[in-house]
Amino acid sequence: AQSVAQPEDQVNVAEGNPLTVKCTYSVSGNPYLFWYVQYPNRGLQFLLKYITGDNLVKGSYGFEAEFNKSQTSFHLKKPSALVSDSALYFCAVRDMILAAGNKLTFGGGTRVLVKP
Amino acid sequence: NAGVTQTPKFRILKIGQSMTLQCTQDMNHNYMYWYRQDPGMGLKLIYYSVGAGITDKGEVPNGYNVSRSTTEDFPLRLELAAPSQTSVYFCASSADRREQYFGPGTRLTVT
């Protein structure tokens, strides 16, 4: 079985400050990991993914994420947050071997509010 | 490329009515998915398909049906609408082992 936890329902940060959104996962084998962002009344947009290779993954809009196998984490980061980064963020995982149909399991989401 | 398109954007149904949510993708992806997102919650997988003619149940399939006659289309059918099916429905598609691309969603209210 595969699962994802996003321990924070909401993260508040001042514009210009670093932003971190936490994600931990559980899979039987090796993970594929994804971050998505959802703006109000929109579908999910893909931000970045970890498949293999470098543990630091860079994605869209200046976001990056660090894969930590020992801590089973994949935290999303941005060095300097913008008001326009305010949105709902989802972490997702797929077991590399066992997840038939490329099925992803999503975390519950973390709402990010960036204040001017 | 239009990506993943969904119709309608909004719909209000009475209890017991039926409807089909349409989903089309133009990326030639083999994999397609239907999710529902309840207020303040994450996404739950309803059904998915790994190719034309092949569908399988996800986490919450009860009350829904799907078909996949072509690579492009993956309609979701609600036969007897219930208030518990009030939700936002997202269709997605992907190539194998790749990220999923999402449509804009259909907001359904059952009263």
Side-chain angles (χ1 to χ4, degrees):
Chain A
Q2 52 192 37
S3 65
V4 177
Q6 294 181 242
E8 300 158 315
D9 288 337
Q10 181 159 323
V11 170
N12 297 316
V13 63
E15 187 173 33
N17 282 1
L19 169 64
T20 298
V21 186
K22 296 180 180 177
C23 171
T24 58
Y25 67 90
S26 174
V27 295
S28 300
N30 292 319
Y32 289 164
L33 291 155
F34 303 84
W35 275 103
Y36 287 84
V37 60
Q38 185 179 32
Y39 298 101
N41 301 313
R42 304 287 294 273
L44 277 68
Q45 295 180 28
F46 169 73
L47 276 179
L48 52 79
K49 65 184 176 185
Y50 171 83
I51 303 295
T52 186
D54 195 347
N55 289 344
L56 184 63
V57 178
K58 293 189 184 296
S60 306
Y61 312 122
F63 283 94
E64 58 188 28
E66 186 167 12
F67 171 64
N68 187 315
K69 188 171 184 177
S70 63
Q71 297 186 4
T72 62
S73 67
F74 190 56
H75 301 331
L76 181 70
K77 300 180 180 182
K78 187 171 184 180
S80 178
L82 301 172
V83 172
S84 57
D85 293 327
S86 298
L88 189 56
Y89 291 80
F90 290 98
C91 182
V93 68
R94 177 210 155 164
D95 187 298
M96 193 181 293
I97 302 297
L98 298 180
N102 196 33
K103 288 187 290 184
L104 299 180
T105 297
F106 286 84
T110 297
R111 188 164 302 281
V112 170
L113 181 59
V114 182
K115 297 182 178 178
Chain B
N1 280 354
V4 180
T5 57
Q6 292 182 239
T7 56
K9 292 185 178 179
F10 305 93
R11 184 71 186 267
I12 299 174
L13 281 182
K14 295 187 185 302
I15 295 171
Q17 286 185 322
S18 301
M19 77 164 295
T20 299
L21 283 66
Q22 301 293 345
C23 175
T24 300
Q25 55 94 5
D26 62 359
M27 296 173 282
N28 202 34
H29 286 163
N30 283 333
Y31 296 79
M32 295 188 75
Y33 314 83
W34 275 106
Y35 296 90
R36 60 178 287 172
Q37 184 181 30
D38 298 326
M41 304 290 285
L43 280 77
K44 294 187 183 299
L45 182 65
I46 305 171
Y47 271 95
Y48 69 101
S49 169
V50 301
I54 307 170
T55 62
D56 206 348
K57 296 177 180 178
E59 186 181 1
V60 289
N62 292 343
Y64 308 94
N65 276 300
V66 294
S67 60
R68 183 96 182 270
S69 58
T70 67
T71 298
E72 295 79 17
D73 299 308
F74 190 41
L76 177 72
R77 179 83 178 160
L78 283 70
E79 289 295 348
L80 292 170
S84 61
Q85 294 178 305
T86 294
S87 189
V88 181
Y89 292 84
F90 290 103
C91 179
S93 72
S94 75
D96 189 20
R97 304 188 182 189
R98 302 288 185 185
E99 59 273 18
Q100 295 180 13
Y101 292 88
F102 285 78
T106 294
R107 188 175 297 275
L108 176 66
T109 302
V110 182
T111 61

